[in-house]
Amino acid sequence: GIEEKPRVAERMGRLKPPAGAALAAVLDQLQPDEVPLAIEAIAKIKDPASFPVLIRHLEASDPSLRAQAAYALGQMTPPEALAALQARIGDTDALARAAVVSALQQYGLRETFGDLQPLLTDPDREVRTRVLSALADLARRHQLEGDLASVLASRLRSVENDARVDLLLALG
């Protein structure tokens, strides 16, 4: 049943890298409810042969598939996926944008600090929350705490309501 599916993905994730390539090769042939499990397993297997398939899924028509592909790539952080993830920062779907933000956070690159700042005013609260978390993490990693405080303070003037509250909480 439904409770069994996470365990299946967990067991599949214990397989060796050639299984990741095999799963990636059949991803498009799976039933819609099987694809998330396969992507989760691919992320756990961390098979480099699966990277191109996951990168391609960043462009899927289904926003939940884009989000899952971003999440999986964030777990594996392959250098060849970075540009594709950066290109999806402005995804039309909030769930996918949030997953891209989390994935980019996992890369931990200093340049991501600037790339994510425009999303501080994203209309979706989950996206803003993840951006704040990512920026705080990047600021710690790269000694940018002063820059972060300046960015947050400057954004206060250009946002309203929920976004302002989020920024004030982050500054506090």
Side-chain angles (χ1 to χ4, degrees):
I2 293 175
E3 293 175 17
E4 181 67 18
K5 288 186 177 187
R7 287 190 292 222
V8 170
E10 182 67 35
R11 280 188 236 127
M12 287 170 47
R14 291 187 205 132
L15 299 172
K16 301 289 183 223
L23 273 174
V26 299
L27 208 54
D28 293 331
Q29 299 164 20
L30 297 176
Q31 296 299 315
D33 66 328
E34 297 170 331
V35 174
L37 296 172
I39 289 176
E40 182 181 341
I42 289 168
K44 290 177 180 172
I45 294 168
K46 299 183 188 302
D47 182 0
S50 64
F51 298 162
V53 172
L54 292 174
I55 292 168
R56 190 178 78 241
H57 275 77
L58 289 174
E59 302 294 329
S61 59
D62 180 347
S64 67
L65 285 181
R66 294 194 306 268
Q68 290 172 319
Y71 172 78
L73 290 166
Q75 297 300 303
M76 299 186 287
T77 64
E80 59 268 37
L82 184 59
L85 285 164
Q86 289 169 324
R88 298 306 307 180
I89 286 176
D91 196 288
T92 57
D93 181 75
L95 177 66
R97 279 194 312 279
V100 166
V101 168
S102 293
L104 289 171
Q105 180 180 356
Q106 296 304 312
Y107 280 82
L109 300 175
R110 184 183 177 107
E111 68 213 42
T112 304
F113 188 81
D115 294 342
L116 295 179
Q117 290 178 25
L119 293 179
L120 283 168
T121 56
D122 192 273
D124 185 82
R125 184 173 218 155
E126 179 63 25
V127 173
R128 290 192 311 269
T129 300
R130 291 206 191 178
V131 168
L132 286 167
S133 173
L135 290 176
D137 180 50
L138 292 166
R140 281 189 299 276
R141 288 185 195 194
H142 300 287
Q143 292 80 43
L144 298 170
E145 289 89 352
D147 293 345
L148 178 59
S150 296
V151 166
L152 295 177
S154 72
R155 294 287 175 162
L156 273 174
R157 292 186 278 281
S158 63
V159 297
E160 40 186 84
N161 303 332
D162 288 346
R164 185 179 300 246
V165 170
D166 292 342
L167 290 174
L168 287 168
L169 290 172
L171 281 169

